[in-house]
Amino acid sequence: MENGSHPFYFYLTMYKDQKNFRYIYFTLVLILYLVILSMNTLIILVIFLERALHQPMYILIACLSVNSLYGSTGLLPKMLADLLLDTHAVSRPACFIQTLVILTYGAYEFTILTLMAYDRHVAICEPLKYHSIMTTRTLAIMVAVAFLYPLCAIGSNVSLAFQLPLCGNELRKLYCSNWSVVQLSCIQTTMNNIVGITITVVTVFLPLFFILYSYIKILVICQRSSSEFKRKALHTCLPHIVTFVNYSIAVFCEIIFSRYELPDVVAVILSLEFLIIPPVLNPLVYGFNFPEIHRRILLLLTSTKISMTSK
């Protein structure tokens, strides 16, 4: 261990028993990564290229896809390398960078879903004021805050963990995580725990309560409205609710794994769920449920196929 209490390398111990199946796992992870890249890139391209989709709801969907690419790229390329290598070491700076990426990915998912809930709340509860409230400038400011605040808050928490003297360098994970590093500390981590809990409350639970409040109000409005209005409202809100519920369950599973000892197979599944399921599910939910996006995806793919055939 280099530098005594500040090891220059960490070792990811969850890869130790994967040798006999490493090529199978590598192939599956590679296919998964390519699927995530292709589907989310397609959503982003369609929304970017089609001026008719330059509306707050679709721009926020594109932000979700950008975040999916960001989070999966912070995890899967390193995982692919680790599945092929015999040593599963990661340098201290690289470990904390990956930690920052994965934590901010998780926070961004909640903040973007919060903005989507607010957008639907305004559209359904105050339709006459929608265009005056959800202006391009307002949306740009909200998106900037949704990305910058978690980066600053989580960055401060990760920097606290970076300064801790450690009594080990083995992480029972497939990737670097802040809690796993803090558990190796040789000193009290009260400050880290307080900061971590505060950031979790502000970046997870406050958005969670706001999202629940927004959709409860939407449901109340729908109950008082016509069946046609109710159908349209639920059609636009249902994908957001599905995404929100799926991600909340995935994050809960990750928290459970981080705090308790579980069998290796269960630990692997729970630790990867919130980083893999949402990037795959989100494009499917929005790409197939929204006719505007679905239709333009088909047009883009058809035009691309025709152009390739003509060559």
Side-chain angles (χ1 to χ4, degrees):
M1 185 183 299
E2 193 171 318
N3 289 337
S5 61
H6 291 87
F8 189 74
Y9 286 99
F10 291 101
Y11 294 92
L12 305 173
T13 62
M14 291 290 285
Y15 289 98
K16 287 182 178 179
D17 300 324
Q18 312 301 322
K19 292 183 179 180
N20 295 332
F21 302 97
R22 65 164 67 181
Y23 296 112
I24 296 175
Y25 294 150
F26 176 85
T27 303
L28 292 175
V29 172
L30 179 60
I31 292 172
L32 177 67
Y33 187 41
L34 292 176
V35 167
I36 291 173
L37 287 178
S38 58
M39 291 199 304
N40 285 282
T41 301
L42 185 59
I43 294 289
I44 295 168
L45 280 176
V46 166
I47 294 174
F48 177 77
L49 294 174
E50 294 291 338
R51 291 185 61 85
L53 300 180
H54 292 181
Q55 302 173 31
M57 179 173 64
Y58 299 114
I59 291 173
L60 292 173
I61 290 173
C63 288
L64 267 186
S65 287
V66 170
N67 191 45
S68 293
L69 295 178
Y70 169 71
S72 57
T73 301
L75 169 71
L76 297 181
K78 177 67 171 65
M79 182 179 292
L80 288 169
D82 283 328
L83 286 170
L84 292 181
L85 296 174
D86 292 324
T87 58
H88 310 112
V90 54
S91 69
R92 184 182 178 87
C95 187
F96 281 99
I97 289 173
Q98 186 181 54
T99 298
L100 179 65
V101 169
I102 290 174
L103 288 178
T104 50
Y105 154 78
Y108 292 156
E109 197 83 2
F110 270 114
T111 54
I112 295 169
L113 289 173
T114 302
L115 296 185
M116 296 173 82
Y118 177 72
D119 174 73
R120 292 300 85 203
H121 177 271
V122 175
I124 293 171
C125 300
E126 300 183 75
L128 298 179
K129 298 180 181 179
Y130 179 77
H131 293 291
S132 62
I133 294 176
M134 294 299 294
T135 63
T136 302
R137 182 173 180 274
T138 300
L139 180 64
I141 292 173
M142 290 194 302
V143 170
V145 172
F147 278 96
L148 289 176
Y149 168 73
L151 178 63
C152 296
I154 292 171
S156 65
N157 194 27
V158 173
S159 67
L160 286 175
F162 187 82
Q163 299 170 36
L164 289 173
L166 306 179
C167 291
N169 63 348
E170 291 190 348
L171 306 178
R172 185 176 172 262
K173 297 281 286 185
L174 292 172
Y175 55 86
C176 292
S177 74
N178 201 60
W179 178 249
S180 297
V181 173
V182 170
Q183 285 181 307
L184 298 175
S185 175
C186 298
I187 62 173
Q188 289 291 329
T189 58
T190 305
M191 179 59 69
N192 298 74
N193 295 334
I194 292 173
V195 173
I197 292 171
T198 303
I199 292 173
T200 301
V201 169
V202 175
T203 60
V204 175
F205 289 104
L206 287 184
L208 175 67
F209 291 137
F210 178 81
I211 292 169
L212 292 174
Y213 167 78
S214 297
Y215 285 122
I216 288 172
K217 285 205 68 176
I218 289 171
L219 289 175
V220 170
I221 294 292
C222 288
Q223 290 299 318
R224 300 173 183 171
S225 305
S226 65
S227 58
E228 178 65 18
F229 180 87
K230 187 186 301 184
R231 185 187 65 80
K232 290 181 178 179
L234 292 177
H235 177 74
T236 58
C237 291
L238 187 59
H240 305 154
I241 295 172
V242 171
T243 303
F244 167 67
V245 171
N246 166 70
Y247 189 70
S248 298
I249 293 173
V251 169
F252 176 76
C253 290
E254 164 60 10
I255 292 172
I256 292 296
F257 166 61
S258 299
R259 299 307 192 264
Y260 300 99
E261 291 291 329
L262 298 170
D264 285 350
V265 174
V266 177
V268 168
I269 293 173
L270 295 185
S271 67
L272 293 178
E273 186 183 2
F274 91 110
L275 287 159
I276 289 178
I277 301 300
V280 173
L281 184 64
N282 291 350
L284 294 176
V285 169
Y286 296 110
F288 289 99
N289 191 72
F290 282 81
E292 298 83 357
I293 296 178
H294 189 198
R295 184 169 57 252
R296 284 172 171 81
I297 286 176
L298 293 177
L299 288 173
L300 179 62
L301 293 176
T302 303
S303 61
T304 303
K305 184 179 180 180
I306 292 173
S307 64
M308 291 177 65
T309 303
S310 62
K311 291 181 181 180

